[in-house]
Structure formats: structure tokens, C-alpha cells
Amino acid sequence: MTSQPSSPNSTQDSQRFVTLINFLLVSGMLSCLAFITNHFIGIFYAEWEVTGLPVLIFLLSFESLLVLYIQSRVVRYGTNPFLSTVAEWVLFLLIGKLFLMFQPGAENFWQEILSWQNGFLSAFFDVRYGLLVFFLFIIWGLTRIFSPPLYQLEEDQELMEQEKLGVTFNDRQEARRSLMGLVFILGFVMVGMTTILKSDTEFIPLIQTPTRAFVIALILYFSLAFIFLALNHYAIQKARWYFNDINVNPDLAKRWLLFTVVFIAVVILLTVFLPTDFTVGFLPVAQAVFKGVLYIFGLLQFLFIFPISFAITLISSLLGLQQSEQTPTQPALPEFIPENIQTTGELPWWELVKSVLFWLVFIVVIVLAVRYYINNHQGLKAFFERIRIKAWLVSFWKWVKRGLQKVSEAASETVQKGFQQIRDYFTEREVRLPSLKDLIRHLPPRQALILTYLDWVHWNDKHGLERKSSQTPLEYAQAVNQRWPDLKDYITPFTNDFIAARYTSQPIDKDQLEEAQSLLATMKTAILEQQSGLIEKPG
Amino acid sequence: MADFLPFLIFLMILAVFLQAGPALTVFYMIIGTFLLGLWWQKRALSHLKVSRHFIDHAYLGETIQIQLIIENTSLLPILWLEIHESLPVNLRAGRDIKEVFSLGLRGKKTIRYEINAFKRGYYPIGPLVIESGDPLGLTKPSHITIPETPLTIYPRIVDLAALGLPSRSPFGTIRNENPVYEDPTRLMGKRGFQNGDSVRKIDWKSSASSGELLVKLYEASIAIELAVLLDLDKASYDIDSFFDATELAVTAAASLAAWSKRHQQSVGLFTNGLDPLAVNTRAHALPPRKGAGHLISLLELLARIQPGTSSPVGSWLEDVQGRLSWGTTLLFISGKLSPETFNQLFQARKAGLNPVILMTGRPQDLQTDRTFAAGYHIPLYTASSPFEVQALGMPQ
């Protein structure tokens, strides 16, 4: 084994160190409570102007915790708890009075003493002092509530030995639960007081202290509380490990404390940057987000359609095709104008972004918390499973997914068809180009006749009689004749016309060309008729 | 913490309605602590690299050093890790490895421990359960399980120096007094020709050089192809000495295998014991072969094998003898013999095999068994302790 179990002395030292840290943490937490309570009392009692109350509470609560610890753990026997409490309270009352006598400054001390001549009791036990004593009593009571579970969680070697043997039982989880409850209740009381202090209600006077101070006090309280809870958790774990004979690294207590401090620091850093104020409500934000989504959709549509539309227009103009009189509407860039945003700030967009961020974080946090809660409560989980909400959601999601897939497939098919049409358009253009009809009209009769013959050859290529490159015009005519004997009377003069135009210098006139074109038309018709089964002799 | 969540959510919604910034900060902090803790612990465990190092085969009595390396491959530290390595009771008397420690950024922890190979077997080292949680205890601790790694401890092997098993296979590597099995590859010397000597034995070259007719003398040798039939059926052993007798049977089988290997003989193993690694736990047969690799396979099977309720000896013997070649020495190890078994072994003898019986434990009706064995001309040995296994070879 690499690690050795810690010795009793080192365990005792470690435990005392942890106890001391716990006392300091509790005192610090009560001090934060005192800071907020001090301002809260000021609302109801305007003459309550006390400075330094958190320091006083820190010292007195620490003293109270320490005294109680010494009574119960160090000097277990021979002390009278009643007398000890009376002595403690006498000390509290005196310190409390002295503390108030120096408020707001040292000069008040003599005025206070002089006022005793007019009536000691009324001057000594005034309303401020009464309130302070009441508050001290609450703090003292809180230390008394904090102490027993703290002792329960303490690593008492003798007690733990007995527990291990089964002689006694210490419910540490219950102690921790009560501490956790106490910490959260106090925290929420502080949050409540801060909310009231900073609310815009008419009867509450304006507080000079900035909101940031209260936020810091709250963060400090919860930071100390979390460190306190972490140490308590360590105590429970330590006991568990002890009962299970598990070797524990001796440095773990210090590392636990250090790690918790770093952990809390990270949480605070994250928390500070999260948005807490929002100017736009949930529904306007949802409306704006919805419009934003529509805007993005419109923008994508625009980005997709615009290049295609532009390309088609460009091609049409290049080919000299006539534009229809009704010009289709060009897609316009969508505009995003969120409505109903009423902000007081100068930058409504920034306010909107902050609000969107806030609501987003808020919803995510709520959803995660609810999810965790349901997962940790089997009864609830079973209930939700029983009502088949999950199955319903799954089938709903599948339905949405199917719909989206269909839309996607349809869109993809449309795009493919579009591309196919564009491709066909260009392909057909290539085929149409060799069509010589348009060219023949503008050429002299000789060239036109030659091209008419070429048209005949191309047409035959398409209709099953390909011309070999070695065939002369007469050989080709013979081949045509063999294939379609009925064309004998037409193919010979047609070929002769071509030979005359191509290989002789005989003049070729327009009549000859028209004759050749007429022969060609007749032959094509005859072939088509033969191919379709309607054999009909031409002429 | 989960118990407080509904309350927290309610307060958070209230704070939103009241637009209370400080309250929201606090709620973010509480829920942030909770979520960060949850994420941290999940991430910590998913970025752990665990390896277990040890020599996974050991001989009885050896000490095995095991090294468990747990490494944090993440840049986030891990506050606490509770590890629990389960160990077989036979090797560590029920004590498990349990420890709690923390791991820094890319930290590594090496845990070393030892176990003793007290008993042959096939043991799982582990599984290792690792648990971790957040520092505040707001979330339930998460855990991962690293699967176990097998460890094989070979059975005890005793030196069988005086073992003399019968064989019908000539021309082997073991010297034999019977001149019937003269091996022409093992020349022992020469002598003058005598009447009756085979002409094929005349050494012509030596005769020519010496001027006298000389004949070659050969050393007699045999080859023992050994098939160990290890009967581990529960019914074949007395309940009083069941554990010792079965372990002794395994020891005898392992020792015979080692002896065969040392003498470069073929050895095979047929058993009706239960093999935890085999399909339906029926151990597969290892036919006679030579070599170190084969011996290791054989010892591994003997390490794993456990006695139990299996197929009856009669049908099993019949099945095995059909798979052996002529002249093979068939060593049947069991704790109890029945007339049917004797009959089966006699049939094997008639088929050209050399059956030999080794009885382990304390057989109750030994005298009857000896009578039967003598009647069938089958050698019978008994062993009630490893020392008696060591002294095998003296027919009783």
C-alpha cells in the first residue's frame, strides 16, 4: 500500500483545524446576515444608524460557538451551563451597550452617559438597544442551532469506535440535512430582505447602499455556506471511509478545502457573467426570436433563389430570348424589424440581446433542474413513464422528423429537377445547332443544297441508316435504295443534285434547291410512314 | 440537494416576476454549483485511464505483484476518488483493496499490492469500482467499473523421478531393458558375430578393417505416448476426502504432463471436469502432443478445471479410447473404480492401449480394486499425498 492510515494525533489536529474553520465560516455567514439585516431594520426604524454590526456579530458568534464547544468537548464535566450562559449574556449586553454608545462616533459615548442622569432605565434600555439585544439573541440562538449538528459531524475517534462496534449510532446525514436546511433558510431570508430593500415600493425609503453591496454580501454568504457544506460532506465521507476500513490520503482534508474554494470561485466567476437583469419580457422576446428565425429562413431562401434567378436572366439575355412582358418579381432581401420592444436604454438591440440571453439561460437552468429532479425521484419518473409522455414526445418528434425529411426530399427533388431542366436545355441546344434549316435560308443555292444533303445524312443517322465514311454519295444512295426500295425515284435525282452542287461547276439555281428540298421532304415522310407501319406509296 | 430543487425553482420564477437581480444571482450560484459539480464529476470519471499490470500466470506458492495505475487525462483535477478492487478470497483471505485519494491535473496514482498464489485456479482480479462526487455532496456520487483481469495459477507439479510407465511403442527416447525394442538409431557398441545374429546387424566396414566379422549392438528404447484421463466427476470421489483427492488428482496429472515434457514424450489430457472458460463448461480434450506450448495449454486447463457433476465415466472412457492411437499409455486418474470402469479399461487394453490406474485419496475398497486390477493385468497405483505421487513408479 502506498498510503498509510493517519495517526490519532494527526487526526485530532486535523479535526480541530476543520472545527475552527467551520466556526469561522458560520461566523462569517452570520456576519453577512447582520449586514443585510442592519439595512433592513433601518427601513422600519429610521433612527437605527449602526455601523460595524457585521464585525460585532462575527466576533460574538465566534465567541458563542467557541464557548459552547469548550463546554461540551474540552471541559465536559464540572461546568454549570446555566451560569455559563448568564455570564455570556452579561458580556453580550455590556458589549452591545458599549457598541451602541460609540455610535455614530466616540463623542456619543459621553452624551450617552450624561443622559443617564435624567433616567437611567429609560436611557439605558432605549429602543435601539432593545433591537440590538433582540438581534444578538437571534444570533446567539442561531449559534445554538448550528452547534449540535456540527458536533454530530465531528470526527470523534472514541465515538466512531463505538459506532463501528455497533454500540451507538450517529445519524450524520440527518445532521447535514438540518445544517443544509438552516443555511438555505437563512440565505432565502437574506434574499427576501434584499428584494424588499431594493424594490420600488413607496413606503420603503431610498437606501444609499448600492445594490452591488447586497449582491456581494449574498454571494459571500453563499460562498461561505457552500464551503461549510463541503466540509460537512467531507466529515460524512470520512466517517463512511473509516467504517469501511478504507485508507484515506492524510492530505485530503486540506485538498478538500482548497478544491472547494477554487470550485466556488469558478462558480462565482460564471455567475457574475450570467445576465440577471432584463428589460424585455418573455413574450416579446419569444416574438422577436420567432421573427428572427423567420428572417434567417427568408435570408436563406433569398440566398438560394437569387443566384439561380440571376443566372437564368443572364442566359436568356445572352441568347437573345424575348423577355415576357410580365417580368417576374425579383426576390427581395428580407428585413428584420422586431416590434414591441420598449426599452429605456439607448441601445434597444443590446437590451434585446441581453434579454434573449437571460431568458435562454433561465429556461435552460430550469429545464436541467427539473430533469435532474425527476431523474432523482423514481416515483415521479415512473409516473411520467406511466402516462407515456416520453413515448408521446418520441412519436411526436418522429412525426416532425418524418415531415422534415419529406420536405427535405421534396426540396432536393425540386432542385434536382431544376438542374436537370437546365442541363436538358443546354443539351437540346447542342442537338439543335446542327439543324441546318435556319442556316440554309441565308445561304446561296449551292451551299444550301449541299447542307440539305448533309441534313438528309444526319436525319438518316437518327433513323437507322448510318452513312459509312467510305461510302460515296452514289454508294450511299444505293444503300438507301436497298433499305427503302420505294424511294428509288426520289433518291437518285436528289443525289445527282448534290453531286452537281458539290463536285461540278454547274450553276445551281434556286429552283434546283427547292426541288431537292421537296424531294427530301417527300423521302422523310415516306420513311416515317413506313416505320410507323402505314405503307403508302408517295405521289 | 434534489429535495430543494422545486423550492429553488419556485423562488427563481418568483424572482423573475419581481425582477430581483440579486435573487437571480444567488439562484444562478446555487444551481450553477449544483450543475458544475455534476458536470465535473461525470467528466472526471470519463477521463480516467485505468490499467492493471501483473504477470497473469503464476505457479503455486509464488507472490504476484499487482500494479494498478489510475491516471487523470483531463486538465481538471479530481477531488476524491474512492477505489475498491475486489480480490478472490483464496488469494487474499477476503481483504480487498480500498483507498481514497485525489488526483491533480493529469495526475497519476500507482497502487501496488501483492497476492499469494495459495491455490491453483483461474481467478478474476477485480473488478475495480471507482467512485467520485462533487465536493459539496449536492449530487449523487457517480461510479465506473473497470472489468476484471484473469489470473491463472498452475497446479502443483511434483518431480516424478522414478516413474516407469509401461509402453508398447518401440523406438522412443526412453531407455528400456526389454531387448525386443532395440532402437537402430541408438548404437551402443559392437561385438563378434555369433550364430543366430541377424545378417542385417553385421557392421561391414568394421569387419573389413578388423578382419573379423563384427555385429552392431543397439540400445533398447521405448516411446511413451501418454494420455491422462482425469476423472473429476463428483460421484467418483468419497465425500470425506473429496477436496484433497481431486486436488491430488490434478497435481498428479500436471506432474505427469511435466514429466512427459522433460522426457520429450507426447502427452494428452482428457477430463470430464468443468472448465469455466469452455462452452457449457465442458472441458475440451487435448490430444497427445509434444512441446512446451502444449504443456502450457495443458497446465492452463488443469489450473482452470474444477470437479463437479459431469458425464458418467463409462461413456466418457469409451469416447476417449476411440480417439487414441495404438500403443498409447492410458493413465486413468480417479478416486473410485467400478467393475464397469475395469471392463472399459480392459477393452482398451484389448484395443492395443496400455491402461494404468492411479487412485487418489483414500479409497475404501482398495483390496477389491487391486484384485480386479490384477485380474485384468492393469497396473494400479495409489496416492493419498503429493509425496506418494512423487513416489509413483513402484507397482503395488
Side-chain angles (χ1 to χ4, degrees), chain A residues 66-138:
Chain A
L66 210 60
V67 164
L68 208 59
Y69 180 75
I70 290 166
Q71 278 178 3
S72 64
R73 293 286 153 142
V74 182
V75 193
R76 293 190 187 203
Y77 310 102
T79 54
N80 187 330
F82 177 74
L83 282 179
S84 169
T85 308
V86 168
E88 195 182 357
W89 263 104
V90 169
L91 185 74
F92 273 29
L93 291 172
L94 284 174
I95 289 173
K97 190 62 197 175
L98 278 171
F99 175 73
L100 281 183
M101 282 166 77
F102 282 101
Q103 300 285 342
E107 66 276 5
N108 190 55
F109 180 76
W110 295 113
Q111 284 179 9
E112 182 79 21
I113 289 178
L114 290 172
S115 68
W116 291 355
Q117 293 172 345
N118 302 328
F120 175 75
L121 283 176
S122 60
F124 194 89
F125 295 104
D126 59 351
V127 181
R128 279 175 82 203
Y129 187 54
L131 277 173
L132 181 70
V133 168
F134 179 68
F135 187 60
L136 286 180
F137 178 74
I138 288 173

Side-chain angles (χ1 to χ4, degrees), chain B residues 165 224-230 256 260 266-270 286-288 320 323-325 328-333 353-356:
Chain B
L165 291 170
I224 300 176
E225 187 170 274
L226 180 65
V228 179
L229 271 73
L230 179 60
L256 282 161
S260 295
S266 301
V267 63
L269 176 69
F270 299 86
L286 293 171
V320 169
R323 297 158 70 178
L324 297 173
S325 56
T328 304
T329 301
L330 194 152
L331 182 73
F332 180 71
I333 306 174
L353 302 173
N354 287 305
V356 179

Side-chain angles (χ1 to χ4, degrees), chain A residues 85-346:
Chain A
T85 308
V86 168
E88 195 182 357
W89 263 104
V90 169
L91 185 74
F92 273 29
L93 291 172
L94 284 174
I95 289 173
K97 190 62 197 175
L98 278 171
F99 175 73
L100 281 183
M101 282 166 77
F102 282 101
Q103 300 285 342
E107 66 276 5
N108 190 55
F109 180 76
W110 295 113
Q111 284 179 9
E112 182 79 21
I113 289 178
L114 290 172
S115 68
W116 291 355
Q117 293 172 345
N118 302 328
F120 175 75
L121 283 176
S122 60
F124 194 89
F125 295 104
D126 59 351
V127 181
R128 279 175 82 203
Y129 187 54
L131 277 173
L132 181 70
V133 168
F134 179 68
F135 187 60
L136 286 180
F137 178 74
I138 288 173
I139 295 295
W140 180 81
L142 284 173
T143 58
R144 288 294 191 272
I145 297 172
F146 266 108
S147 293
L150 259 179
Y151 301 154
Q152 218 176 327
L153 290 173
E154 205 182 23
E155 191 184 342
D156 188 332
Q157 206 68 32
E158 289 176 20
L159 199 68
M160 282 165 79
E161 284 288 347
Q162 288 180 357
E163 271 188 83
K164 202 174 180 179
L165 294 169
V167 177
T168 178
F169 174 67
N170 184 1
D171 193 351
R172 289 180 174 78
Q173 290 292 350
E174 184 52 40
R176 180 176 149 80
R177 260 196 296 277
S178 65
L179 279 177
M180 201 185 249
L182 197 58
V183 161
F184 276 112
I185 287 167
L186 281 181
F188 293 135
V189 166
M190 286 168 70
V191 169
M193 283 196 291
T194 310
T195 309
I196 293 168
L197 280 168
K198 283 294 162 187
S199 65
D200 297 331
T201 319
E202 285 177 6
F203 73 88
I204 294 171
L206 191 68
I207 309 279
Q208 295 300 322
T209 315
T211 311
R212 189 175 295 171
F214 292 111
V215 173
I216 290 170
L218 284 172
I219 288 178
L220 186 65
Y221 172 83
F222 277 99
S223 303
L224 295 173
F226 283 154
I227 296 170
F228 176 67
L229 291 177
L231 288 178
N232 292 334
H233 181 55
Y234 171 72
I236 290 178
Q237 291 287 78
K238 189 82 189 291
R240 186 172 70 83
W241 294 328
Y242 174 77
F243 295 138
N244 290 315
D245 290 325
I246 298 174
N247 289 330
V248 181
N249 193 321
D251 295 335
L252 194 63
K254 283 171 192 165
R255 283 186 191 176
W256 201 289
L257 185 61
L258 185 71
F259 185 91
T260 308
V261 171
V262 174
F263 183 82
I264 298 297
V266 172
V267 173
I268 290 170
L269 268 178
L270 290 174
T271 309
V272 165
F273 288 110
L274 285 175
T276 53
D277 53 340
F278 59 97
T279 48
V280 187
F282 180 73
L283 288 176
V285 164
Q287 198 180 2
V289 169
F290 183 68
K291 282 187 175 177
V293 171
L294 285 181
Y295 168 75
I296 291 166
F297 186 72
L299 192 69
L300 288 172
Q301 195 183 17
F302 170 77
L303 290 173
F304 179 69
I305 292 172
F306 181 73
I308 296 171
S309 163
F310 180 75
I312 290 170
T313 314
L314 191 69
I315 291 161
S316 302
S317 64
L318 283 172
L319 294 171
L321 293 176
Q322 285 184 343
Q323 297 283 333
S324 64
E325 285 182 7
Q326 288 181 339
T327 315
T329 322
Q330 292 291 327
L333 188 68
E335 290 181 25
F336 178 48
I337 309 163
E339 293 170 7
N340 301 328
I341 298 175
Q342 293 169 354
T343 58
T344 50
E346 290 178 359

